[in-house]
Amino acid sequence: MMGRVQGKVAVVTGGAMGIGAATARLLAEEGASVVVADLAEAEGQALVAELATPGLFLRHDVSSEADWDELARTVTARFGRIDILVNNAAIQIPASIADVTYADYRRIQAVNADGPFLGCRMAVREMARSGGGAIVNIASVASHSGEAGGVAYSASKGAVRSLTKSVAVFCQNAENGIRCNSVHPGVTDTPMLRAMRADLGLEPQSPHAGDPRQVAYAVLYLASDEALLVNGAELLVDSARTVTPPPPKR
């Protein structure tokens, strides 16, 4: 089945690399016009040039309210509307509760939690004007099981998990045709994971990491009209990690 998001306009934050890039490619393959929003300009421009449908790159800081306002103006001027928003942009700075600095904690919240909040607010306002749409927030299994060495990241993804449900309930009550769901990947082979592992002195590629395209397929389903009755849901893409977590280190 092809054309699952044919004719729709999608915005993917953190879209230049990793899960974001896989999602942008897949949405374009399935017929959407894709706006890649990212701070990585060279990678983002290169990706847009290879997409299967006409797209657009926007240099975008998800923690900036002004950038979100500009994104809404630019995308609606170019494409007329926004049908899909994928809040994917995120950062990770490994640290436990004993070691994390407040500055790093706040930096992670600004990108990982404030960014999706600003994105959801923008999308709800814009999508309500055009009759509805789909918001997909990329959370993490860390919002379910916690990460001893990633306290700030886990907290930020927990915020995304709760934000998703609040937005979904609001949209359902408002009957505005907007759905909001979250995807919770497990360990996934992305540039962020490789950089983090390298910083920890590990081999950059984890033997247990999943393919970003598999996460992208979950996003595609939630963004498509196949999921019209799916709202406020959590879709785990983690090979049962949250069902059978690894034993604690002794």
Side-chain angles (χ1 to χ4, degrees), residues 157-174:
K157 293 303 185 176
V160 172
R161 184 183 182 190
S162 295
L163 170 72
T164 300
K165 296 183 183 302
S166 294
V167 173
V169 172
F170 170 82
C171 292
Q172 179 66 23
N173 291 344

Side-chain angles (χ1 to χ4, degrees), residues 13-35:
T13 70
M17 293 176 281
I19 291 172
T23 299
R25 288 190 182 95
L26 186 57
L27 291 173
E29 289 169 15
E30 295 290 341
S33 298
V34 180
V35 177

Side-chain angles (χ1 to χ4, degrees), residues 144-159:
H144 290 256
S145 58
E147 297 286 347
V151 63
Y153 183 82
S154 296
S156 70
K157 293 303 185 176

Side-chain angles (χ1 to χ4, degrees), residues 18-208:
I19 291 172
T23 299
R25 288 190 182 95
L26 186 57
L27 291 173
E29 289 169 15
E30 295 290 341
S33 298
V34 180
V35 177
V36 174
D38 206 304
L39 291 174
E41 190 162 357
E43 293 87 347
Q45 294 281 16
L47 174 62
V48 167
E50 69 177 58
L51 293 179
T53 55
L56 177 67
F57 172 78
L58 290 179
R59 193 177 190 282
H60 178 72
D61 178 355
V62 295
S63 66
S64 167
E65 187 174 14
D67 276 17
W68 278 108
D69 292 341
E70 181 60 27
L71 181 145
R73 285 191 294 267
T74 301
V75 176
T76 54
R78 173 75 175 270
F79 297 104
R81 66 190 189 282
I82 298 171
D83 301 304
I84 299 164
L85 171 65
V86 183
N87 278 313
N88 167 74
I91 60 172
Q92 165 69 299
I93 304 172
S96 72
I97 187 62
D99 302 323
V100 67
T101 68
Y102 185 55
D104 283 348
Y105 182 88
R106 287 304 321 150
R107 181 183 171 203
I108 289 174
Q109 304 314 308
V111 175
N112 297 9
D114 297 356
F117 156 72
L118 291 169
C120 285
R121 189 181 66 173
M122 180 281 296
V124 166
R125 292 171 176 175
E126 294 298 328
M127 291 175 180
R129 296 189 185 108
S130 57
I135 302 169
V136 183
N137 294 325
I138 307 301
S140 170
V141 294
S143 66
H144 290 256
S145 58
E147 297 286 347
V151 63
Y153 183 82
S154 296
S156 70
K157 293 303 185 176
V160 172
R161 184 183 182 190
S162 295
L163 170 72
T164 300
K165 296 183 183 302
S166 294
V167 173
V169 172
F170 170 82
C171 292
Q172 179 66 23
N173 291 344
E175 298 183 350
N176 57 19
I178 302 169
R179 298 176 294 106
C180 186
N181 296 287
S182 56
V183 172
H184 298 249
V187 178
T188 309
D189 186 19
T190 64
M192 184 172 75
L193 176 67
R194 292 189 180 208
M196 183 179 71
R197 287 178 60 84
D199 288 343
L200 295 173
L202 303 172
E203 287 294 323
Q205 187 168 12
S206 169
H208 306 294

Side-chain angles (χ1 to χ4, degrees), residues 145-146 148 244-250:
S145 58
T244 55
K249 293 181 180 180
R250 300 291 182 183

